Amino acid sequence: METKSVYASPASDLLNKNAVVWDGDFIKTQNPARLPACCIGCGAVDKLGQTEEKLTYLNPLTFFWILLSPIALIIAYFVFRKQLSISYSRCAPCTKKATLWGNIAKISWVLFVVGIVVRILIGKQFFMLQMIVILGSPLLALFATAMKDTQLSVKDFREPIFVLKGFNKAFVAKLKGQSR
Ligand SMILES: [Zn+2]
């Protein structure tokens, strides 16, 4: 007689590259990963488009390489980072919203760099205007990033398992409802 609980064989589930295993509000998966067909922004299941993204995980200890030199840290970053290719779904309205805020964030960072370059080129002319751009643009970028529906990131990596966080509540509710 076989008794099977939902927790019986997470290891075998994880062998399937598309599998998603919930760990509280986090998701455990392997590279490459694919999230279930459910909008990551609102939990909708109709008219979904696919988004491909690469998530990077860096062990926090890696930052100690800065003690050696900034160059060592940059090299360590490329040597020790772990990347997860992930594809997930978004409905049309959520795609629009995510694209809009994503573009605002990008433009803000460009403004920031331009502000710094202008500061170096023209010195203290238009000082107030320069400060508004240099201090304001990163704030706008952070705000725009926060306005996106989801901030997926890798919380932890234990070879070969990636633990993902940053899921929208509607998405979590929908999928957990399905799997239980
Ligand atoms: Zn949506």
Side-chain angles (χ1 to χ4, degrees), residues 58 61-78 80:
L58 195 62
L61 294 176
T62 310
F63 289 102
F64 281 108
W65 286 85
I66 192 78
L67 296 175
L68 217 58
S69 84
I71 299 292
L73 176 61
I74 291 167
I75 294 169
Y77 170 82
F78 286 103
F80 295 118

Side-chain angles (χ1 to χ4, degrees), residues 125-142:
Q125 273 180 324
F126 308 109
F127 184 74
M128 277 312 291
L129 184 61
Q130 287 185 33
M131 284 302 112
I132 289 169
V133 172
I134 292 173
L135 299 177
S137 57
L139 289 178
L140 183 60
L142 292 179

Side-chain angles (χ1 to χ4, degrees), residues 38-46 48 89-95 149:
C38 167
C39 174
I40 202 159
C42 67
V45 290
D46 291 329
L48 300 173
S89 311
R90 257 199 195 108
C91 70
C94 288
T95 302
D149 51 22

Side-chain angles (χ1 to χ4, degrees), residues 110-170:
V110 171
L111 261 183
F112 177 66
V113 173
V114 169
I116 300 276
V117 171
V118 168
R119 175 82 181 84
I120 292 166
L121 291 180
I122 73 172
K124 281 191 174 167
Q125 273 180 324
F126 308 109
F127 184 74
M128 277 312 291
L129 184 61
Q130 287 185 33
M131 284 302 112
I132 289 169
V133 172
I134 292 173
L135 299 177
S137 57
L139 289 178
L140 183 60
L142 292 179
F143 175 72
T145 302
M147 286 302 289
K148 282 178 72 180
D149 51 22
T150 180
Q151 281 88 42
L152 278 194
S153 63
V154 181
K155 175 180 174 274
D156 203 0
F157 173 76
R158 277 163 267 145
E159 188 80 45
I161 310 291
F162 286 86
V163 182
L164 304 181
K165 67 171 181 179
F167 295 99
N168 184 291
K169 278 201 179 85

